[in-house]
Amino acid sequence: MSTHGTPCWYELATRKPTEAGAFYGKLLGWKMSKAPMEGFDYHLASMGDTMVAGMMVPDDPNSPTYWMIYFAVDNADKTAAAVEADGGKVIVPPADIPNTGRFSILTDPQGAYFGILQPLPGGAGGAYDQKKTGHGNWHELMTPDPKAALAFYGKHFGWKLTTEMPMGEMGSYHIFADKGADIGGMMGLPAPGMPPAWLPYFGA
């Protein structure tokens, strides 16, 4: 069964990955380790035998701390090209990660960053599991145009709107499903000037 469009990895860009790892370890029970990648300081968070997230120092020293969500795709090159043709941007062109797969970092037409990963044969890992503590559980997009975002991600990932919940002056909360299961929601920007962004939730 294809995992195209299913969340598969969570990555925190932070100038203090060691301190962040200690914080999330206490909060969620993650165990931290260093990835065996020569010349690249990458921290891995695990629950038991399952890797659930990564942490790294961003290249730009002025970059804010932020979470990146990766979604599995059948073909990273084709998905990146399709996203770009549909108004998104390719921030990091498709490239191989040894022993993992092929990835790319993109933005949607409204400017929210997200990653894609074409995993090696054998699956997309177990970082996302709504039944387990410390694993990815929910995925929330704050965007200036939720309906346009739903159409965009529905086109490229196959997601379907399942519920629209009115929230008064904040507009509506749009719950979407992947392969029949609700995995997240989309809503308008909660504050003026706030950039569009994805936010992952982890099971507690």
Side-chain angles (χ1 to χ4, degrees):
M1 180 179 176
S2 172
T3 57
H4 186 91
T6 300
C8 64
W9 191 242
Y10 308 91
E11 192 172 80
L12 178 65
T14 172
R15 285 178 289 280
K16 297 182 178 180
T18 300
E19 290 87 340
F23 170 81
Y24 286 102
K26 184 177 181 180
L27 181 69
L28 299 172
W30 289 352
K31 301 298 183 183
M32 302 301 301
S33 63
K34 288 284 192 73
M37 302 170 69
E38 187 174 348
F40 187 46
D41 188 20
Y42 197 81
H43 300 240
L44 291 168
S46 299
M47 288 294 291
D49 296 329
T50 303
M51 292 185 293
V52 295
M55 299 181 187
M56 59 181 284
V57 177
D59 293 333
D60 182 355
N62 297 315
S63 173
T65 298
Y66 66 94
W67 278 100
M68 174 87 69
I69 302 175
Y70 287 76
F71 303 101
V73 295
D74 294 334
N75 187 304
D77 294 79
K78 287 184 177 180
T79 300
V83 164
E84 187 173 39
D86 203 23
K89 293 182 180 179
V90 177
I91 305 302
V92 177
D96 293 327
I97 303 174
N99 304 314
T100 300
R102 192 163 175 80
F103 87 107
S104 181
I105 296 175
L106 314 168
T107 74
D108 62 26
Q110 283 76 43
Y113 285 75
F114 65 97
I116 57 172
L117 175 67
Q118 178 186 338
L120 293 175
Y128 165 64
D129 191 329
Q130 291 179 316
K131 297 179 180 179
K132 294 182 178 180
T133 299
H135 293 244
N137 184 285
W138 194 252
H139 313 84
E140 195 168 80
L141 176 64
M142 289 163 282
T143 174
D145 193 339
K147 290 188 176 180
L150 280 164
F152 172 84
Y153 288 100
K155 177 180 178 179
H156 296 286
F157 291 152
W159 299 343
K160 305 291 185 184
L161 174 68
T162 58
T163 307
E164 186 171 338
M165 301 170 55
M167 299 191 301
E169 294 182 358
M170 293 184 65
S172 294
Y173 192 77
H174 303 80
I175 296 176
F176 61 92
D178 172 58
K179 301 172 186 63
D182 289 343
I183 66 167
M186 300 185 186
M187 59 184 288
L189 297 175
M194 179 179 175
W198 278 99
L199 177 67
Y201 288 69
F202 298 98

mmCIF file of all heavy atoms in Angstrom, residues 1-36:
data_model
loop_
_atom_site.group_PDB
_atom_site.id
_atom_site.type_symbol
_atom_site.label_atom_id
_atom_site.label_comp_id
_atom_site.label_asym_id
_atom_site.label_seq_id
_atom_site.Cartn_x
_atom_site.Cartn_y
_atom_site.Cartn_z
ATOM 1 N N MET A 1 0.849 -1.205 0.000
ATOM 2 C CA MET A 1 0.000 0.000 0.000
ATOM 3 C C MET A 1 0.880 1.249 0.000
ATOM 4 O O MET A 1 1.843 1.341 0.755
ATOM 5 C CB MET A 1 -0.905 0.003 1.233
ATOM 6 C CG MET A 1 -1.817 1.215 1.325
ATOM 7 S SD MET A 1 -2.864 1.148 2.787
ATOM 8 C CE MET A 1 -3.708 2.718 2.672
ATOM 9 N N SER A 2 0.554 2.203 -0.836
ATOM 10 C CA SER A 2 1.328 3.439 -0.910
ATOM 11 C C SER A 2 1.154 4.269 0.358
ATOM 12 O O SER A 2 0.067 4.355 0.924
ATOM 13 C CB SER A 2 0.884 4.262 -2.117
ATOM 14 O OG SER A 2 1.490 5.539 -2.103
ATOM 15 N N THR A 3 2.248 4.880 0.797
ATOM 16 C CA THR A 3 2.193 5.790 1.942
ATOM 17 C C THR A 3 2.178 7.249 1.489
ATOM 18 O O THR A 3 2.338 8.152 2.312
ATOM 19 C CB THR A 3 3.396 5.562 2.882
ATOM 20 O OG1 THR A 3 4.614 5.734 2.133
ATOM 21 C CG2 THR A 3 3.362 4.168 3.475
ATOM 22 N N HIS A 4 1.978 7.483 0.197
ATOM 23 C CA HIS A 4 2.021 8.842 -0.341
ATOM 24 C C HIS A 4 1.036 9.750 0.405
ATOM 25 O O HIS A 4 -0.150 9.460 0.511
ATOM 26 C CB HIS A 4 1.670 8.819 -1.833
ATOM 27 C CG HIS A 4 1.828 10.137 -2.514
ATOM 28 N ND1 HIS A 4 3.002 10.524 -3.114
ATOM 29 C CD2 HIS A 4 0.969 11.175 -2.676
ATOM 30 C CE1 HIS A 4 2.859 11.734 -3.626
ATOM 31 N NE2 HIS A 4 1.629 12.148 -3.366
ATOM 32 N N GLY A 5 1.559 10.850 0.947
ATOM 33 C CA GLY A 5 0.724 11.805 1.670
ATOM 34 C C GLY A 5 0.628 11.578 3.163
ATOM 35 O O GLY A 5 0.043 12.393 3.879
ATOM 36 N N THR A 6 1.215 10.483 3.669
ATOM 37 C CA THR A 6 1.157 10.183 5.095
ATOM 38 C C THR A 6 2.338 10.829 5.815
ATOM 39 O O THR A 6 3.470 10.756 5.337
ATOM 40 C CB THR A 6 1.184 8.657 5.316
ATOM 41 O OG1 THR A 6 0.060 8.074 4.658
ATOM 42 C CG2 THR A 6 1.128 8.324 6.801
ATOM 43 N N PRO A 7 2.123 11.464 6.965
ATOM 44 C CA PRO A 7 3.247 12.041 7.723
ATOM 45 C C PRO A 7 4.269 10.957 8.057
ATOM 46 O O PRO A 7 3.895 9.816 8.379
ATOM 47 C CB PRO A 7 2.588 12.581 8.994
ATOM 48 C CG PRO A 7 1.146 12.762 8.629
ATOM 49 C CD PRO A 7 0.834 11.686 7.653
ATOM 50 N N CYS A 8 5.552 11.288 7.974
ATOM 51 C CA CYS A 8 6.561 10.254 8.207
ATOM 52 C C CYS A 8 7.752 10.713 9.049
ATOM 53 O O CYS A 8 8.529 9.878 9.503
ATOM 54 C CB CYS A 8 7.055 9.682 6.878
ATOM 55 S SG CYS A 8 7.912 10.873 5.819
ATOM 56 N N TRP A 9 7.923 12.039 9.281
ATOM 57 C CA TRP A 9 9.076 12.487 10.054
ATOM 58 C C TRP A 9 8.830 13.901 10.580
ATOM 59 O O TRP A 9 8.069 14.674 9.973
ATOM 60 C CB TRP A 9 10.337 12.470 9.198
ATOM 61 C CG TRP A 9 11.618 12.661 9.959
ATOM 62 C CD1 TRP A 9 12.526 13.688 9.819
ATOM 63 C CD2 TRP A 9 12.162 11.810 10.974
ATOM 64 N NE1 TRP A 9 13.586 13.516 10.688
ATOM 65 C CE2 TRP A 9 13.391 12.378 11.410
ATOM 66 C CE3 TRP A 9 11.719 10.622 11.569
ATOM 67 C CZ2 TRP A 9 14.171 11.800 12.407
ATOM 68 C CZ3 TRP A 9 12.494 10.042 12.564
ATOM 69 C CH2 TRP A 9 13.722 10.629 12.963
ATOM 70 N N TYR A 10 9.475 14.209 11.707
ATOM 71 C CA TYR A 10 9.338 15.506 12.359
ATOM 72 C C TYR A 10 10.739 16.006 12.685
ATOM 73 O O TYR A 10 11.550 15.270 13.251
ATOM 74 C CB TYR A 10 8.496 15.367 13.635
ATOM 75 C CG TYR A 10 7.181 14.672 13.377
ATOM 76 C CD1 TYR A 10 7.078 13.284 13.499
ATOM 77 C CD2 TYR A 10 6.061 15.382 12.952
ATOM 78 C CE1 TYR A 10 5.884 12.629 13.225
ATOM 79 C CE2 TYR A 10 4.868 14.736 12.674
ATOM 80 C CZ TYR A 10 4.786 13.362 12.807
ATOM 81 O OH TYR A 10 3.608 12.714 12.522
ATOM 82 N N GLU A 11 11.006 17.259 12.367
ATOM 83 C CA GLU A 11 12.367 17.779 12.504
ATOM 84 C C GLU A 11 12.343 19.172 13.124
ATOM 85 O O GLU A 11 11.663 20.070 12.635
ATOM 86 C CB GLU A 11 13.020 17.823 11.124
ATOM 87 C CG GLU A 11 14.521 18.076 11.129
ATOM 88 C CD GLU A 11 15.076 17.905 9.734
ATOM 89 O OE1 GLU A 11 14.944 18.861 8.926
ATOM 90 O OE2 GLU A 11 15.601 16.824 9.418
ATOM 91 N N LEU A 12 13.098 19.329 14.202
ATOM 92 C CA LEU A 12 13.167 20.602 14.907
ATOM 93 C C LEU A 12 14.465 21.321 14.558
ATOM 94 O O LEU A 12 15.555 20.782 14.759
ATOM 95 C CB LEU A 12 13.098 20.373 16.420
ATOM 96 C CG LEU A 12 13.200 21.615 17.302
ATOM 97 C CD1 LEU A 12 12.000 22.545 17.079
ATOM 98 C CD2 LEU A 12 13.331 21.239 18.778
ATOM 99 N N ALA A 13 14.342 22.525 14.036
ATOM 100 C CA ALA A 13 15.499 23.394 13.815
ATOM 101 C C ALA A 13 15.665 24.257 15.054
ATOM 102 O O ALA A 13 14.779 25.033 15.403
ATOM 103 C CB ALA A 13 15.302 24.262 12.579
ATOM 104 N N THR A 14 16.787 24.101 15.740
ATOM 105 C CA THR A 14 17.022 24.814 16.994
ATOM 106 C C THR A 14 18.512 25.051 17.188
ATOM 107 O O THR A 14 19.334 24.210 16.820
ATOM 108 C CB THR A 14 16.470 24.020 18.202
ATOM 109 O OG1 THR A 14 16.882 24.650 19.412
ATOM 110 C CG2 THR A 14 16.960 22.579 18.202
ATOM 111 N N ARG A 15 18.846 26.187 17.759
ATOM 112 C CA ARG A 15 20.257 26.479 18.021
ATOM 113 C C ARG A 15 20.774 25.711 19.236
ATOM 114 O O ARG A 15 21.980 25.699 19.502
ATOM 115 C CB ARG A 15 20.447 27.987 18.221
ATOM 116 C CG ARG A 15 20.371 28.779 16.911
ATOM 117 C CD ARG A 15 20.518 30.260 17.138
ATOM 118 N NE ARG A 15 19.343 30.836 17.789
ATOM 119 C CZ ARG A 15 18.211 31.150 17.140
ATOM 120 N NH1 ARG A 15 18.121 30.957 15.845
ATOM 121 N NH2 ARG A 15 17.200 31.679 17.795
ATOM 122 N N LYS A 16 19.878 25.064 19.987
ATOM 123 C CA LYS A 16 20.283 24.327 21.176
ATOM 124 C C LYS A 16 19.661 22.928 21.166
ATOM 125 O O LYS A 16 18.780 22.612 21.974
ATOM 126 C CB LYS A 16 19.857 25.090 22.433
ATOM 127 C CG LYS A 16 20.520 26.454 22.587
ATOM 128 C CD LYS A 16 20.094 27.147 23.869
ATOM 129 C CE LYS A 16 20.801 28.484 24.047
ATOM 130 N NZ LYS A 16 20.380 29.156 25.304
ATOM 131 N N PRO A 17 20.111 22.053 20.267
ATOM 132 C CA PRO A 17 19.502 20.727 20.163
ATOM 133 C C PRO A 17 19.683 19.871 21.413
ATOM 134 O O PRO A 17 18.803 19.071 21.745
ATOM 135 C CB PRO A 17 20.204 20.108 18.950
ATOM 136 C CG PRO A 17 21.474 20.877 18.786
ATOM 137 C CD PRO A 17 21.159 22.262 19.253
ATOM 138 N N THR A 18 20.791 20.030 22.109
ATOM 139 C CA THR A 18 21.003 19.238 23.328
ATOM 140 C C THR A 18 19.986 19.611 24.399
ATOM 141 O O THR A 18 19.358 18.742 25.026
ATOM 142 C CB THR A 18 22.431 19.441 23.865
ATOM 143 O OG1 THR A 18 23.371 19.030 22.865
ATOM 144 C CG2 THR A 18 22.646 18.617 25.121
ATOM 145 N N GLU A 19 19.779 20.924 24.588
ATOM 146 C CA GLU A 19 18.800 21.380 25.577
ATOM 147 C C GLU A 19 17.380 21.007 25.146
ATOM 148 O O GLU A 19 16.557 20.609 25.980
ATOM 149 C CB GLU A 19 18.908 22.894 25.764
ATOM 150 C CG GLU A 19 20.176 23.333 26.477
ATOM 151 C CD GLU A 19 21.350 23.543 25.530
ATOM 152 O OE1 GLU A 19 21.327 23.003 24.399
ATOM 153 O OE2 GLU A 19 22.295 24.258 25.922
ATOM 154 N N ALA A 20 17.102 21.127 23.846
ATOM 155 C CA ALA A 20 15.779 20.765 23.342
ATOM 156 C C ALA A 20 15.518 19.275 23.548
ATOM 157 O O ALA A 20 14.414 18.866 23.927
ATOM 158 C CB ALA A 20 15.660 21.125 21.874
ATOM 159 N N GLY A 21 16.536 18.465 23.297
ATOM 160 C CA GLY A 21 16.382 17.030 23.497
ATOM 161 C C GLY A 21 16.084 16.685 24.948
ATOM 162 O O GLY A 21 15.252 15.812 25.239
ATOM 163 N N ALA A 22 16.749 17.385 25.876
ATOM 164 C CA ALA A 22 16.491 17.145 27.296
ATOM 165 C C ALA A 22 15.061 17.549 27.660
ATOM 166 O O ALA A 22 14.384 16.855 28.433
ATOM 167 C CB ALA A 22 17.501 17.923 28.139
ATOM 168 N N PHE A 23 14.587 18.657 27.092
ATOM 169 C CA PHE A 23 13.223 19.127 27.366
ATOM 170 C C PHE A 23 12.190 18.115 26.886
ATOM 171 O O PHE A 23 11.295 17.712 27.639
ATOM 172 C CB PHE A 23 13.004 20.476 26.686
ATOM 173 C CG PHE A 23 11.573 20.942 26.702
ATOM 174 C CD1 PHE A 23 11.039 21.553 27.819
ATOM 175 C CD2 PHE A 23 10.748 20.758 25.594
ATOM 176 C CE1 PHE A 23 9.706 21.979 27.842
ATOM 177 C CE2 PHE A 23 9.433 21.180 25.599
ATOM 178 C CZ PHE A 23 8.910 21.789 26.729
ATOM 179 N N TYR A 24 12.311 17.696 25.626
ATOM 180 C CA TYR A 24 11.330 16.756 25.084
ATOM 181 C C TYR A 24 11.478 15.362 25.685
ATOM 182 O O TYR A 24 10.493 14.615 25.796
ATOM 183 C CB TYR A 24 11.435 16.701 23.560
ATOM 184 C CG TYR A 24 10.858 17.918 22.883
ATOM 185 C CD1 TYR A 24 11.680 18.928 22.396
ATOM 186 C CD2 TYR A 24 9.487 18.076 22.745
ATOM 187 C CE1 TYR A 24 11.157 20.067 21.782
ATOM 188 C CE2 TYR A 24 8.949 19.205 22.146
ATOM 189 C CZ TYR A 24 9.789 20.192 21.670
ATOM 190 O OH TYR A 24 9.247 21.325 21.070
ATOM 191 N N GLY A 25 12.699 15.026 26.092
ATOM 192 C CA GLY A 25 12.883 13.748 26.761
ATOM 193 C C GLY A 25 12.096 13.688 28.060
ATOM 194 O O GLY A 25 11.449 12.677 28.371
ATOM 195 N N LYS A 26 12.136 14.779 28.814
ATOM 196 C CA LYS A 26 11.383 14.837 30.069
ATOM 197 C C LYS A 26 9.885 14.904 29.812
ATOM 198 O O LYS A 26 9.080 14.296 30.528
ATOM 199 C CB LYS A 26 11.830 16.060 30.873
ATOM 200 C CG LYS A 26 11.191 16.174 32.244
ATOM 201 C CD LYS A 26 11.747 17.372 33.008
ATOM 202 C CE LYS A 26 11.128 17.493 34.392
ATOM 203 N NZ LYS A 26 11.663 18.658 35.140
ATOM 204 N N LEU A 27 9.495 15.632 28.760
ATOM 205 C CA LEU A 27 8.070 15.831 28.472
ATOM 206 C C LEU A 27 7.412 14.596 27.859
ATOM 207 O O LEU A 27 6.294 14.218 28.255
ATOM 208 C CB LEU A 27 7.919 17.011 27.500
ATOM 209 C CG LEU A 27 6.500 17.405 27.097
ATOM 210 C CD1 LEU A 27 5.763 18.015 28.288
ATOM 211 C CD2 LEU A 27 6.532 18.402 25.932
ATOM 212 N N LEU A 28 8.100 13.968 26.905
ATOM 213 C CA LEU A 28 7.484 12.894 26.126
ATOM 214 C C LEU A 28 8.131 11.526 26.311
ATOM 215 O O LEU A 28 7.605 10.526 25.824
ATOM 216 C CB LEU A 28 7.520 13.254 24.627
ATOM 217 C CG LEU A 28 6.764 14.517 24.217
ATOM 218 C CD1 LEU A 28 7.054 14.848 22.761
ATOM 219 C CD2 LEU A 28 5.261 14.341 24.433
ATOM 220 N N GLY A 29 9.284 11.506 26.987
ATOM 221 C CA GLY A 29 9.958 10.225 27.164
ATOM 222 C C GLY A 29 10.911 9.856 26.053
ATOM 223 O O GLY A 29 11.351 8.708 25.955
ATOM 224 N N TRP A 30 11.257 10.827 25.204
ATOM 225 C CA TRP A 30 12.194 10.550 24.119
ATOM 226 C C TRP A 30 13.588 10.259 24.662
ATOM 227 O O TRP A 30 14.045 10.874 25.631
ATOM 228 C CB TRP A 30 12.285 11.742 23.170
ATOM 229 C CG TRP A 30 11.074 11.964 22.318
ATOM 230 C CD1 TRP A 30 9.991 11.154 22.203
ATOM 231 C CD2 TRP A 30 10.818 13.082 21.467
ATOM 232 N NE1 TRP A 30 9.072 11.689 21.333
ATOM 233 C CE2 TRP A 30 9.558 12.877 20.868
ATOM 234 C CE3 TRP A 30 11.539 14.243 21.157
ATOM 235 C CZ2 TRP A 30 9.014 13.785 19.967
ATOM 236 C CZ3 TRP A 30 10.987 15.150 20.255
ATOM 237 C CH2 TRP A 30 9.735 14.919 19.666
ATOM 238 N N LYS A 31 14.287 9.349 24.002
ATOM 239 C CA LYS A 31 15.693 9.080 24.264
ATOM 240 C C LYS A 31 16.496 9.666 23.103
ATOM 241 O O LYS A 31 16.195 9.392 21.950
ATOM 242 C CB LYS A 31 15.946 7.573 24.390
ATOM 243 C CG LYS A 31 15.149 6.895 25.504
ATOM 244 C CD LYS A 31 15.496 7.456 26.873
ATOM 245 C CE LYS A 31 14.735 6.715 27.973
ATOM 246 N NZ LYS A 31 14.990 7.285 29.313
ATOM 247 N N MET A 32 17.513 10.453 23.426
ATOM 248 C CA MET A 32 18.258 11.157 22.396
ATOM 249 C C MET A 32 19.589 10.465 22.087
ATOM 250 O O MET A 32 20.206 9.845 22.950
ATOM 251 C CB MET A 32 18.532 12.602 22.831
ATOM 252 C CG MET A 32 17.292 13.419 23.156
ATOM 253 S SD MET A 32 16.112 13.577 21.784
ATOM 254 C CE MET A 32 17.156 14.370 20.536
ATOM 255 N N SER A 33 20.003 10.589 20.822
ATOM 256 C CA SER A 33 21.293 10.063 20.392
ATOM 257 C C SER A 33 21.789 10.895 19.219
ATOM 258 O O SER A 33 21.020 11.650 18.611
ATOM 259 C CB SER A 33 21.179 8.588 19.988
ATOM 260 O OG SER A 33 20.312 8.436 18.875
ATOM 261 N N LYS A 34 23.056 10.759 18.891
ATOM 262 C CA LYS A 34 23.624 11.451 17.734
ATOM 263 C C LYS A 34 23.548 10.538 16.518
ATOM 264 O O LYS A 34 23.869 9.349 16.598
ATOM 265 C CB LYS A 34 25.084 11.829 18.002
ATOM 266 C CG LYS A 34 25.286 12.957 18.994
ATOM 267 C CD LYS A 34 24.957 14.299 18.352
ATOM 268 C CE LYS A 34 25.421 15.459 19.228
ATOM 269 N NZ LYS A 34 26.876 15.619 19.215
ATOM 270 N N ALA A 35 23.149 11.103 15.394
ATOM 271 C CA ALA A 35 23.106 10.324 14.157
ATOM 272 C C ALA A 35 24.522 10.082 13.653
ATOM 273 O O ALA A 35 25.365 10.982 13.715
ATOM 274 C CB ALA A 35 22.297 11.061 13.098
ATOM 275 N N PRO A 36 24.801 8.881 13.158
ATOM 276 C CA PRO A 36 26.147 8.577 12.648
ATOM 277 C C PRO A 36 26.354 9.145 11.244
ATOM 278 O O PRO A 36 26.518 8.413 10.274
ATOM 279 C CB PRO A 36 26.164 7.049 12.651
ATOM 280 C CG PRO A 36 24.742 6.656 12.408
ATOM 281 C CD PRO A 36 23.915 7.704 13.112
#
